[in-house]
Amino acid sequence: SMAMQAQKMRGAWGRLCLLLSLLLQLPGSQAKCYFQAKAPCEYEGKQFSLGESWLSTNCLLCTCLHPVGVGCCETTQHPIDFPDWCEAHYDSQTCQISVVQKANPSLPCVKSVEHEWGSAGTPEPL
């Protein structure tokens, strides 16, 4: 019946909202999340059912929200407060971001005598 169907959909939406709120509460939620309506719950030929997750090659943690689509969140933590003589280096193999010196990317970005760190915890520019 129609009422049954509506109730089932409401249940699915309740789970969906709960799931999205959990996804959005990843530690250091600088993480961006994307929702793909009507996207199939399928990755590299494998089918996923409601609530199952997988890690895609571009480091997105995706969760099947069947039948409404797929929700994906970035798993990489984006460093937001580092000096301008450094840059964030992204390694797509490990899904890690490291902060290195622009002048010499093989060196980590560490505080040194000639470089003073800015004030820590400055808000991210919008």
Side-chain angles (χ1 to χ4, degrees):
S1 73
M2 243 353 236
M4 261 316 267
Q5 195 66 32
Q7 205 171 356
K8 230 159 74 188
M9 262 319 268
R10 240 200 325 276
W13 276 109
R15 279 201 300 274
L16 168 64
C17 293
L18 182 69
L19 195 67
L20 283 175
S21 65
L22 289 174
L23 284 174
L24 294 169
Q25 283 165 7
L26 289 171
S29 59
Q30 294 300 326
K32 290 191 188 67
C33 293
Y34 310 91
F35 177 66
Q36 299 153 296
K38 303 274 183 279
C41 289
E42 175 187 343
Y43 182 68
E44 292 186 337
K46 187 173 175 338
Q47 287 291 136
F48 295 88
S49 53
L50 179 63
E52 288 189 311
S53 298
W54 63 94
L55 191 63
S56 70
T57 45
N58 53 353
C59 303
L60 290 175
L61 179 66
C62 296
T63 304
C64 176
L65 306 171
H66 182 81
V68 289
V70 171
C72 296
C73 287
E74 290 180 354
T75 55
T76 23
Q77 298 297 308
H78 293 276
I80 52 170
D81 188 33
F82 54 87
D84 55 14
W85 47 272
C86 297
E87 62 189 356
H89 180 81
Y90 177 66
D91 182 349
S92 59
Q93 293 301 300
T94 62
C95 294
Q96 294 300 310
I97 293 180
S98 51
V99 181
V100 295
Q101 297 180 20
K102 282 181 187 168
N104 189 345
S106 64
L107 292 178
C109 179
V110 287
K111 185 177 175 183
S112 63
V113 181
E114 70 265 30
H115 292 299
E116 278 303 309
W117 280 93
S119 63
T122 47
E124 188 175 10
L126 295 172

